[in-house]
Amino acid sequence: KTAEVTKPALDLEQYDDQATQSLTITKGHRPMARPKAVRLPKDFKKPLGTLTLKQLEEKGSASCRRKLVCIHGDIFDVSDRPDKYGEDGPY
């Protein structure tokens, strides 16, 4: 017999009704089509090694065409998705 796994319920009492409605995801993940004619930097996807926060900030400056995102210490090159990670993107 297998054990039944249940997720703990989130305590939403601290939020009003309007706030809890905005926490609901509807229709799930909707993939976005990749944009056409994106000009990639020459160093796109080139390994970075270990960077300090200052080095990462420099690579993310306006003078650098490469777009980098760091999540929990892992660095991702998202230069090919300016529609998602550019100035007008949702992220």
Side-chain angles (χ1 to χ4, degrees):
K1 189 174 183 178
T2 60
E4 188 174 319
V5 178
T6 58
K7 292 182 180 180
L10 294 174
D11 179 15
L12 302 177
E13 290 185 22
Q14 62 183 323
Y15 303 108
D16 61 27
D17 288 341
Q18 184 179 3
T20 56
Q21 289 174 359
S22 66
L23 295 173
T24 303
I25 298 174
T26 58
K27 298 184 182 177
H29 175 74
R30 294 179 304 254
M32 296 171 66
R34 191 170 297 277
K36 296 177 181 170
V38 174
R39 292 182 56 218
L40 295 173
K42 290 181 182 181
D43 57 352
F44 175 62
K45 298 257 183 179
K46 180 180 175 188
L48 293 164
T50 302
L51 299 177
T52 64
L53 183 56
K54 182 172 175 61
Q55 291 170 318
L56 182 61
E57 287 172 352
E58 290 169 0
K59 295 222 179 258
S61 69
S63 63
C64 182
R65 290 193 54 231
R66 200 165 178 188
K67 293 183 183 350
L68 303 172
V69 174
C70 182
I71 302 171
H72 298 292
D74 294 320
I75 300 172
F76 300 90
D77 190 336
V78 295
S79 304
D80 62 333
R81 294 310 303 249
D83 58 323
K84 289 186 176 185
Y85 300 97
E87 290 180 22
D88 297 326
Y91 297 108

